[in-house]
Structures are given as structure tokens and as C-alpha cells.
Amino acid sequence: MRSILTNPGLAVPTLAMLTLALVGSTAFADQPVGVQTLAITAPARERPLAVTVWYPAASGGHRMSVGDNRIFEGTEVLRDALPATGGFPLILLSHGSGSRALGMAWIATALAEAGFVVAGPDHPGTTSGDSTPEATPKIWERTADLSAVLDSVTSDPIWRGVVDPAKVGVLGFSLGGTAAMEIAGATASLDAYVAYCDSYPAMMDCRWFKGGRGFVDDEEIKVPPLDLRSVDRQRFEQSNRDPRFKAAVLVDPGLATAFTRASLAAIDIPLAFVNLGSAGQIPVAVLSDALATKIAGATYEQIEKADHFSFLPLCKPGSAAMLKQIGEPDPICDESPQRSRADIHAEVADHIGQAFARMLKDGAE
């Protein structure tokens, strides 16, 4: 998964399908979507972060498909269009391990159509073609990325007139869901995470740590297996809370078994959890129903007949067979005969869109 997802992106077969799923809320309005790519300095990184921003567009720009590649379909947007003004809520994205921000383009575009500005960094060390087991547990680097992007966007003279700095949320998927949890105030126990991998060695993240491989410059490399006990305990267990974030949506968040009960009880912003899968089929690594019960006011939704990879972009015809042929171990493009990925995306977009409308629009003071 970590080598093949270079520049992933998606277009729902008709993006109107997602828009229709969202219009049930009066907070949503169909708007043209612009996209820009920014280079943002993050203090903890050697190089500027590559950040993709989706936003309600005012005028200009040229229509193009963003994120199209040999596996995934691209999303049609207006590249470098002028952003509309008006104090839109801002949502920060945190992608899954081995992906990129463009791997969440389908949901980012739907949210921008609905009146949000959405900004997603590519997290170095856990992005497509640049991913190693050693970097994966360093959640503190991901949360620092999100805070740095928020610093930049809210201080930039152009974007200051576009976003409302008092209405900021975060949307995280998988490892990105872990980062979103921690930016909201959750802290994890290293001992609990070690115990989880000892008990469930077949889970994807635990296999990744022991696999002895990584990716640098889009090439697979051999690396020593990672012993989670070697992770910097102080950094792993520190608080990464950023009080400027006022809401979070967590889709299949990683480290679900490792967050401390006390930190969950102390979270004071609204959270919405979404699990992909039917009852009894959601991996323990991301199962979030119990998490939701430990956080005051948190909500929980379960997407039937889906799986963890349903959140990835729509796959092109023949992609599943091609991935199997080249030895990709994860069922990235396998589609259930019971339900299409496009249909799953529509339901997920509905849940996410309504959650952010409730938490950052309808429920905002």
C-alpha cells in the first residue's frame, strides 16, 4: 500500500452524488471548488510541507483532474481559482499511512462544495513512496504538521479573508485519525500499544512494524524490524492538544486500543467517530464504539458492508487485478459485490458533512 499510492486522488463517478447526499442539511450549498498547492514551513521538518487546499471558488482557474493515476480516478476542480471570501470554517485533513492528502480528495471536494475550506498536508515519513516503520508511530510529528498548517493559513493575508479562525476542525483517517484524536486532546500509552501488537500481530500496522521494509524516493528499501519498545516514550505519550481545533471527525482511527481513559474523559470538543464495516467485522485496531462512550458528547456511526479501504479513492477498471499481479498485499481496490465504493462514499460524505455542519456551523456561537 505504501509504494503504490503515489499521488492518489479520486473523482466520484458523479461528484453530484456526494453533493446530493449532503443537501439534506440547510448548511450546505453547491459551490465550484478551487484547488491550490502550498509549501508551508513546519518547524519539525527539514523541508516545507506540501499542502493541498480545497476551497469555495469565486472565479478564474482552469479545470483539471487532480490526483489521477494508473490506479485511482482523479477529481475535477478549478486549479488556482480565486477563493471566495466570507469566513468559511476550516478543516485540516490528516491522511492514512502510506497515502497523501490527494487520497482524500473526494471528501475534501465534497466539503469544499458545501462551504468549507479544507487543507491537507502530506506527512513526511508516512506518505506514499516515503514511508518507514520507524516514522509511523511518531504521531507528534503529524500533529505538529497540522498545527503548522493552521498557523500559516490563519496568518496568511489572503487566506485570512477566506477562513474563520474560530471555526476549525480536523478530519483524520486511519493513522490520520490517530493524529486527529491527539490534536483533540487524547494521549496514548506506549505500553498499551505494545500489548496490542503482542496480542494482535496479524493487524496491518503490527505487520508493517515487523516487515523489515520501507519506502524512500518511491523505491522499496530494507529496514530493520521496529520494536515498539524502542519508540521515544516521552514523545509518544505527550499531549499534542491544540486548543484552536474545535471539532474532529475520526474515520477508522488507529491506536484505538491505546488511548488513556483519563485523556478521553478530558476532551472538551465535539467528536464524531465513523467506522467502516458491519458489526463484528471491524478490526480491533480501529474499532471506535467504545471510544465514543468515553468522550462526553461524542457520536458514533457505522457504515455497513464497507471495509477500511473503502475510504480510499475510486479505483479504475482493472486496478484490483493489476495490484494482485504486482504483489500488493492489501486489498486496496477489491470491491464487495454487496455495495459499491461510490455508494459507500456517498454515505460517508453525508455523515462527515452533517457532523461538521453541526459542530462548526449550526452549533457554532
Side-chain angles (χ1 to χ4, degrees):
M1 176 173 167
R2 292 162 179 83
S3 62
I4 204 68
L5 293 184
T6 303
N7 295 323
L10 155 141
V12 177
T14 75
L15 202 51
M17 185 175 180
L18 294 187
T19 305
L20 287 172
L22 296 173
V23 295
S25 167
T26 57
F28 290 87
D30 187 11
Q31 300 188 40
V33 174
V35 163
Q36 294 184 25
T37 303
L38 310 178
I40 290 179
T41 300
R45 303 295 192 180
E46 294 180 357
R47 302 175 185 174
L49 296 169
V51 180
T52 306
V53 184
W54 293 260
Y55 52 90
S59 61
H62 59 279
R63 187 167 296 280
M64 65 175 294
S65 179
V66 174
D68 182 89
N69 63 27
R70 58 181 177 154
I71 299 170
F72 297 121
E73 297 181 7
T75 302
E76 285 203 0
V77 292
L78 295 172
R79 168 65 73 178
D80 296 329
L82 290 175
T85 57
F88 299 104
L90 173 63
I91 298 172
L92 276 290
L93 296 183
S94 189
H95 62 73
S97 178
S99 187
R100 292 183 187 271
L102 286 178
M104 299 172 74
W106 65 273
I107 185 62
T109 302
L111 289 169
E113 283 185 329
F116 296 90
V117 173
V118 184
D122 293 342
H123 296 292
T126 57
T127 19
S128 176
D130 173 23
S131 187
T132 63
E134 181 183 13
T136 302
K138 296 180 179 179
I139 308 302
W140 61 90
E141 294 183 345
R142 279 180 166 247
T143 54
D145 292 345
L146 296 173
S147 293
V149 174
L150 182 55
D151 289 340
S152 180
V153 171
T154 54
S155 63
D156 183 274
I158 295 176
W159 293 104
R160 262 205 317 256
V162 178
V163 303
D164 183 344
K167 296 179 180 179
V168 179
V170 58
L171 167 61
F173 166 61
S174 196
L175 189 64
T178 308
M181 284 289 294
E182 296 213 357
I183 210 90
T187 59
S189 161
L190 183 58
D191 289 339
Y193 197 46
V194 169
Y196 149 74
C197 272
D198 285 346
S199 299
Y200 301 97
M203 288 287 119
M204 282 187 294
D205 49 349
C206 304
R207 286 190 284 113
W208 170 242
F209 296 139
K210 296 297 185 182
R213 66 183 187 128
F215 296 89
V216 175
D217 295 330
D218 292 326
E219 297 291 336
E220 184 170 345
I221 61 171
K222 291 184 178 180
V223 296
L226 177 69
D227 183 350
L228 284 174
R229 295 169 181 83
S230 69
V231 173
D232 186 324
R233 178 182 295 273
Q234 183 175 357
R235 300 301 301 273
F236 186 85
E237 296 183 344
Q238 73 185 23
S239 172
N240 296 306
R241 170 79 171 110
D242 186 332
R244 295 174 296 175
F245 287 81
K246 305 302 183 184
V249 175
L250 309 311
V251 181
D252 277 6
L255 270 69
T257 65
F259 295 115
T260 67
R261 181 180 289 270
S263 71
L264 297 176
I267 292 175
D268 60 359
I269 64 172
L271 269 59
F273 291 92
V274 179
N275 265 151
L276 302 168
S278 302
Q281 298 179 355
I282 301 167
V284 66
V286 299
L287 184 60
S288 307
D289 52 351
L291 287 178
T293 66
K294 297 178 175 68
I295 301 169
T299 63
Y300 178 77
E301 298 284 351
Q302 188 175 298
I303 308 300
E304 295 291 333
K305 299 175 183 176
D307 63 35
H308 191 64
F309 297 105
S310 299
F311 202 75
L312 297 182
L314 288 189
C315 294
K316 290 182 175 178
S319 292
M322 185 269 287
L323 289 168
K324 287 183 174 67
Q325 187 175 16
I326 65 175
E328 169 57 43
D330 295 325
I332 293 169
C333 287
D334 289 6
E335 197 159 303
S336 168
Q338 298 176 305
R339 193 174 188 192
S340 71
R341 186 172 289 187
D343 184 45
I344 293 168
H345 280 182
E347 183 179 354
V348 173
D350 186 35
H351 286 312
I352 292 174
Q354 290 195 35
F356 277 127
R358 180 180 69 251
M359 296 188 291
L360 294 178
K361 288 184 175 182
D362 302 340
E365 295 182 356

